[in-house]
């Protein structure tokens, strides 16, 4: 009986570690995503200023390219 209890404790600890790791990975992914969005916006603003172009035009082009590359990546890795 105590073996089962000890085994259950080990499984529970392992599950807790997995849950903690998943939470950390999701947090890191969210932070990276936000950081990349901010960097993209700053780069688009710099590009618009340097090239005397409309920021909205550049943003639309960037979003179109991101969507295209995402589709290509998903097709390649599916």
């Amino acid at each position: 009986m105590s073996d089962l209890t000890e085994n259950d404790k080990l499984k529970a600890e392992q599950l807790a570690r997995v849950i903690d790791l998943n939470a950390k990975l999701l947090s890191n992914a969210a932070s990276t995503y936000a950081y990349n969005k901010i960097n993209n916006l700053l780069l688009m603003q710099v590009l618009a200023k340097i090239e005397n172009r409309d920021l909205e035009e550049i943003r639309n082009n960037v979003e179109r390219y991101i969507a295209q590359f995402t589709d290509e990546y998903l097709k390649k890795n599916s």
Side-chain angles (χ1 to χ4, degrees):
M1 187 75 134
S2 69
D3 288 342
L4 182 60
T5 304
E6 189 64 31
N7 193 23
D8 289 342
K9 287 180 185 177
L10 291 173
K11 285 183 180 180
E13 288 173 4
Q14 186 178 25
L15 181 60
R17 285 194 299 271
V18 168
I19 291 170
D20 186 50
L21 179 59
N22 284 343
K24 287 178 184 174
L25 289 173
L26 286 173
S27 175
N28 287 344
S31 295
T32 300
Y33 178 80
Y35 179 79
N36 286 341
K37 290 294 268 187
I38 292 167
N39 278 340
N40 284 344
L41 180 59
L42 292 172
L43 289 171
M44 286 186 284
Q45 288 175 336
V46 168
L47 185 60
K49 189 162 194 116
I50 289 173
E51 295 187 353
N52 292 323
R53 289 174 50 197
D54 182 39
L55 178 60
E56 199 59 36
E57 174 191 349
I58 292 172
R59 179 179 289 137
N60 290 337
N61 287 338
V62 168
E63 289 175 0
R64 188 184 71 217
Y65 291 140
I66 289 172
Q68 176 187 339
F69 295 143
T70 301
D71 287 343
E72 290 173 5
Y73 176 82
L74 291 174
K75 286 177 185 172
K76 185 193 299 186
N77 293 298
S78 296

